[in-house]
Amino acid sequence: MTTKPFPQPTSFLKMLGPSFVILALGLGSGEVILWPYLSANYGLGIIWGALLGLSCQYFINMEIERYALVKGESVFSGLTRRWTWTAYWFILSTFLGWALPGIAAASAQIFGHIFNITDFRWIAISILLIIGLILTLNQSIYKTLEKITKTILLVGIPCLLILAAFIAKQTDWLALFQGLLGQGHNYNWLPQGVSLITFLAAFAYAGAGGNLNLSQSIYIKDKGYGMGLYAQKLGGLFRSNKTETLNLDGTDFALTPTNIQRFKKWWKKISLEHLLVFWFLGFLSMSLLMILSYSTAFGGNYQSGISFIFTESLLITQLLHPGIGLAFLILLGLMLAQTQLGVLDSTSRIMAENVALLKIKKQSDNKLNLSRIYYRCLWGQIIFGIILFLFNFYEPKQLIVTGAIINALAMFVHIGLVNWNNWQTLPKPTQPTIIRKIILTIIFLIFAGFGFITLNSYL
């Protein structure tokens, strides 16, 4: 690697963006479906799990950002440089974890309910095709994705807050605060009869989940955080039809007092940005969706699907106005659709970069058509999803839970790899503190336990 000065930190407002994207990636799985599903069935005594899961992902994401900030390259470049097999693993685990189109199926089921279409498979297929066309024809994929996610989040969260203020009773808010302490209806921490697999799936999806967390290093590098300022921006290459020289290596900096001080300033800013956008807005959106589900649908028996959402809409219609109940469904449907858009873009970027890293190792030069690799990954996932729908694999909750189980195992692997790589390769002044290392080790052990429980249940 070459050596260059550590850049001066940019303004806080200019840094906003990547955390919105990764927050939006989690809206369609944990926030909109799994956690509200659990609160509709078991009350708010399990909201502590949502807070803990989201907090774990905050620390996980920050270590991914730390590497890209210091090295000016994605974590995939650093990991593949040390262990070539990791590229194969990330391609396989990303496809298996996210090619299951449960989020598109959930969005399609909501729009099917609105238009009274029972066989919503064709709506789901249409959503996948529309997303494919948006990502294929758009001139600036990341900017478009950032604008869409910011708009939906900054409009959707206030709408949910206003709705919760009108719908939720004082006792509902009290139940939410008690749930943070693990106190539920006639149970503490976990209710009797809850599916442990579903709870663990929701825990893994309290945030983005799976390998999607790793895409944060790609986005912040392209955004120019820290040493990423010197990196070749892949965003343009994803739109290029030419075979071009690809440089995925980062840039080092000398350990001078000035450079270290600049790193610390960057670290404080990106930590605050991720805390406010990802952690705070993420927990706020989850809490609002859970309390709405509890206030309107608790007491039913929702064993499959997303029928609790339709119960919510019906009660909102009865209490407020039919137009508001319809708007609630449209908002959730759009949240899910934009999540599927972000997932397909992020997973295609992850797989494309790892394919490129493997090709570079085998070639005498670095000339590749990254755009072609990206679109093959994108349309490969879309075609796979369409095939599943045509063969009647389209029940949203089942697809999402299955994907979440795979992604929980993927998280166990990448948490260990990223932290070990950081502790071994990053300069000491840029490494996490002892307390943070202890927290990260505990998180790693939590996901190791999840992996063992999941495998044991299936075996």
Side-chain angles (χ1 to χ4, degrees):
M1 290 185 179
T2 55
T3 301
K4 293 183 179 180
F6 207 100
Q8 285 276 15
T10 186
S11 68
F12 185 79
L13 289 178
K14 288 183 179 179
M15 293 175 60
L16 294 174
S19 292
F20 277 102
V21 174
I22 198 167
L23 170 60
L25 292 179
L27 281 177
S29 43
E31 282 86 337
V32 173
I33 297 176
L34 293 180
W35 285 111
Y37 165 82
L38 288 171
S39 62
N41 279 284
Y42 304 105
L44 293 169
I46 40 82
I47 196 173
W48 63 270
L51 178 60
L52 180 60
L54 191 69
S55 300
C56 287
Q57 288 207 31
Y58 170 79
F59 286 101
I60 293 167
N61 293 343
M62 288 312 301
E63 292 311 298
I64 293 165
E65 290 198 26
R66 183 192 299 273
Y67 184 84
L69 183 74
V70 173
K71 290 293 187 179
E73 63 182 16
S74 74
V75 292
F76 304 112
S77 295
L79 293 172
T80 305
R81 190 178 297 118
R82 299 193 73 193
W83 306 292
T84 303
W85 62 267
T86 59
Y88 295 102
W89 164 256
F90 288 128
I91 294 168
L92 178 64
S93 58
T94 300
F95 183 84
L96 292 177
W98 290 105
L100 297 171
I103 300 170
S107 177
Q109 188 173 356
I110 290 174
F111 285 116
H113 181 83
I114 292 172
F115 295 107
N116 198 27
I117 300 174
T118 305
D119 190 357
F120 57 85
R121 290 180 302 162
W122 304 106
I123 301 177
I125 290 172
S126 299
I127 289 172
L128 290 179
L129 291 174
I130 291 170
I131 288 172
L133 291 174
I134 290 173
L135 293 176
T136 302
L137 301 177
N138 203 283
Q139 293 300 314
S140 180
I141 297 172
Y142 175 75
K143 287 183 179 179
T144 301
L145 184 63
E146 187 178 297
K147 286 180 182 177
I148 291 173
T149 54
K150 278 184 178 179
T151 302
I152 290 180
L153 286 172
L154 295 178
V155 171
I157 293 177
C159 288
L160 292 174
L161 183 59
I162 294 170
L163 199 56
F166 277 100
I167 295 292
K169 299 182 288 292
Q170 186 176 353
T171 53
D172 299 333
W173 292 105
L174 179 61
L176 185 143
F177 288 114
Q178 289 176 333
L180 292 174
L181 302 175
Q183 299 175 12
H185 284 273
N186 302 318
Y187 68 88
N188 289 319
W189 304 111
L190 281 176
Q192 186 176 3
V194 66
S195 167
L196 189 58
I197 295 298
T198 302
F199 178 80
L200 296 183
F203 190 93
Y205 275 170
N211 291 338
L212 287 186
N213 299 85
L214 299 171
S215 66
Q216 188 75 346
S217 68
I218 298 176
Y219 288 130
I220 72 162
K221 184 188 72 169
D222 274 7
K223 189 80 171 177
Y225 281 19
M227 296 301 286
L229 179 69
Y230 306 114
Q232 184 181 24
K233 300 300 180 278
L234 297 185
L237 293 179
F238 283 128
R239 292 295 311 155
S240 174
N241 291 321
K242 299 178 182 178
T243 298
E244 302 182 34
T245 300
L246 192 62
N247 181 17
L248 297 176
D249 291 333
T251 307
D252 275 333
F253 63 92
L255 295 178
T256 63
T258 300
N259 283 337
I260 294 171
Q261 189 64 28
R262 288 178 180 179
F263 160 77
K264 290 180 178 180
K265 289 180 180 178
W266 267 103
W267 180 253
K268 287 180 181 178
K269 284 192 172 184
I270 67 172
S271 297
L272 179 61
E273 187 261 357
H274 207 59
L275 184 70
L276 293 177
V277 176
F278 176 79
W279 186 86
F280 176 72
L281 289 183
F283 183 64
L284 179 61
S285 61
M286 274 196 293
S287 299
L288 294 173
L289 287 163
M290 288 179 73
I291 199 168
L292 282 172
S293 174
Y294 175 75
S295 301
T296 57
F298 180 64
N301 186 20
Y302 310 99
Q303 293 304 315
S304 62
I306 56 172
S307 56
F308 70 93
I309 290 177
F310 306 133
T311 303
E312 286 184 75
S313 173
L314 180 62
L315 192 62
I316 290 170
T317 295
Q318 293 172 352
L319 293 175
L320 300 177
H321 188 274
I324 298 177
L326 176 62
F328 173 73
L329 288 179
I330 292 173
L331 175 61
L332 294 192
L334 289 175
M335 279 184 168
L336 291 164
Q338 66 87 30
T339 297
Q340 187 67 73
L341 170 70
V343 166
L344 283 170
D345 174 59
S346 294
T347 52
S348 299
R349 286 172 183 260
I350 290 170
M351 290 188 285
E353 182 161 334
N354 280 283
V355 169
L357 287 166
L358 291 173
K359 285 181 175 290
I360 287 172
K361 277 184 172 287
K362 296 177 181 178
Q363 294 179 183
S364 57
D365 58 31
N366 291 2
K367 291 186 177 296
L368 287 172
N369 189 321
L370 188 61
S371 176
R372 188 178 301 161
I373 300 171
Y374 171 85
Y375 289 116
R376 284 174 179 172
C377 295
L378 171 66
W379 284 99
Q381 292 183 89
I382 291 172
I383 292 169
F384 179 74
I386 291 173
I387 291 172
L388 286 180
F389 289 141
L390 292 176
F391 281 89
N392 293 323
F393 292 97
Y394 61 89
E395 204 286 305
K397 178 175 164 286
Q398 182 182 5
L399 288 171
I400 289 173
V401 170
T402 303
I405 292 167
I406 298 169
N407 285 319
L409 293 172
M411 289 181 74
F412 158 66
V413 174
H414 80 61
I415 291 168
L417 288 174
V418 168
N419 284 301
W420 182 253
N421 188 54
N422 281 6
W423 300 350
Q424 293 294 310
T425 61
L426 296 186
K428 283 196 174 182
T430 66
Q431 288 197 14
T433 62
I434 292 296
I435 294 176
R436 190 174 283 257
K437 285 183 177 181
I438 293 171
I439 292 172
L440 292 165
T441 302
I442 293 171
I443 293 171
F444 173 73
L445 293 175
I446 288 173
F447 279 93
F450 285 2
F452 173 78
I453 291 170
T454 301
L455 289 175
N456 186 59
S457 67
Y458 273 84
L459 295 175

